[in-house]
Amino acid sequence: MRRLLLPLTTLALAAPAAAWGETLEVTSESETGTGSLGTTILEAGPGDTIKIPPGEYPLTNGDTLVEQGNRLVGAGEDETTIIPTGGGEALDQVTVSGVTEAAPVNPESDDDSGLDTKVQIVALIGTLALFILVLDLVRRRRLAERYALLWMLASAALLVLAIWRGGLDAIADLLGVAEPANAIFILAFGVAFLLLLNFSVVTTRLSEETKILAQESARLEQELRAARGELATGNGASAPVAEQGEHQRPVSAQDET
Amino acid sequence: MPESTELRRLAIVPAYNEQGMVGRVVRDIRRQAPGFDVLVVDDGSTDATGAEAEAEGAAVIRHPYNLGIGGAVQSGYKYALRGEYDVAVQVDGDGQHKPEYLPEMLAALKTGGDEADMVYGSRFRGDPGYPVPIGRRVGNMIFSVVLSAITRQRITDPTSGFRMTNRRGIELFARDYPHDYPEVEALLMLHAHHLRIHEVHVRMNARGFGRSSIDYPRSAYYMVKVLLALFVGLFRRRPTPVEATGEDEPGIGAAAIAEGERVQG
Ligand SMILES: Nc1nc2c(ncn2[C@@H]2O[C@H](COP(=O)(O)OP(=O)(O)O)[C@@H](O)[C@H]2O)c(=O)[nH]1
Ligand SMILES: [Mg+2]
């Protein structure tokens, strides 16, 4: 009962008063999810202390830590290790004790968020190739300009997002997605969906137009055959007489008898 | 029949690969309803459907490729509109519809009098004349309930393609006709444009050979699709409703008028 009550009261107090100096404890060594270091930091208020039991803990985002001025307390230098995966500068700016700081996993990256550099390069090459492909298709007149515009906008947007990490982060934030990479997938899916819908509309219109054309060409062909039939009987434009031509032309019932 | 001979009447026969049957249909129409011109719409058949119809003296429109029953029937209505026909009737090229009913249907049609704008032959008002497949029966019943509710009149055979319509119906269908499995939706169109529908009982033949466009595995799909079409159709934007005085509508086109003159000349 007390175990349940304590965090509840803590929460109740923490929310309105932003109580200074609570202590939260990390319970999971994974990168995200309940009890992970990252989540605990997000749950912590300004000035809170975060206790970290023995184990290895990845730390992706350290900005919040600095903003809130949290204190990290490990179980001892030999016991608790923090592995920075996004640069690790944050650890130098807050009070840390009883923790070994491992070498950053991703040393080249000086940005602490966004896509991995590797993914970024792949995305860059991919979107660039797409962009060039579209341009080439337009150049060779294999793609009408009005669709080209659509595709070029789409690939340009992807290109921008591949280069400009901040943009992707902002979008990820906006969509409430934790991983910027997922934001790209959601965006790409949405765009692809709309493009497909657009093509269904275009196809519908095309088949309607083609139907009308087919009907018209069939009618013309019928009229041509009928006219030839009349000519062949030497009857010109007058009422048809020959067996073949008899029903080719709209004949009134009177003419028929 | 002094009054009715003044009417220009057309039988529209949609036919898709109906070689061996369509010739007989044309012959039967000409024998049993001699007041009707016969137009066979060869819907991109790969057999000799068109030639066979022509040999029996029908006018033949040949679609360059298969447009489906909706496109085929609409071609017929366009032809009827251009040829200034007063009455058009659909008679399937597969021999299911018996031309012997044409006079009775014509008698019920409004062509000066005050009857219906569209008269159609229902096989479910009495003895259908042949054992109707169960899938067709079930589907038919569902559409029957839905359409009867919408139109507030008893529609017992909404999938029957045996239909006769007057000038107003011809104009409507030449302008706009539903695509696949069009029979049910076409009834809805008539209703939306305030054209009156009338049912007469007919017996039909079993399909001689070949496959109906509405057969088993497809009948479930057909039902869902048509129900959806009905639902959407309720909200669909329609071309301007045909005026009640749709007799001599302007805009039929100079070609049609020229054609009319040529026939008389
Ligand atoms: N199945 C089918 N029939 C077509 C097509 N175009 C025209 N028809 C003609 O439409 C008529 C009715 O077709 P059918 O499949 O028998 O429909 P049902 O009688 O309502 O089951 C027949 O005379 C066909 O030859 C087409 O694309 N497919
Ligand atoms: Mg049939």
Side-chain angles (χ1 to χ4, degrees), chain A residues 208 211 215 225 247 250-251, chain B residues 30 37 54 57 71 74 78:
Chain A
E208 183 61 29
K211 182 193 83 174
Q215 287 177 333
R225 247 183 307 124
H247 281 262
V251 190
Chain B
R30 297 192 62 188
D37 293 343
E54 212 151 45
Q74 193 188 25
K78 285 182 173 175

Side-chain angles (χ1 to χ4, degrees), chain A residues 211, chain B residues 69-71 73-74 173 176-187 189 229 236 238:
Chain A
K211 182 193 83 174
Chain B
I69 175 76
V73 167
Q74 193 188 25
F173 289 148
D176 183 23
Y177 199 74
H179 259 281
D180 345 68
Y181 311 119
E183 291 88 1
V184 182
E185 218 191 320
L187 285 177
M189 280 179 62
R236 206 176 120 200
R238 304 240 173 244

Side-chain angles (χ1 to χ4, degrees), chain B residues 13-18 41 43 66-69 72 91-97 123 136 159 161 183 207 211-214:
Chain B
V13 182
Y16 178 51
N17 289 341
E18 302 287 4
V41 183
D43 191 21
N66 182 245
L67 289 184
I69 175 76
V91 182
D92 276 2
D94 59 2
Q96 282 196 270
H97 303 158
R123 80 202 98 171
R136 184 64 169 247
T159 63
E183 291 88 1
R207 216 175 195 286
R211 261 188 80 178
S212 164
S213 56
I214 315 166

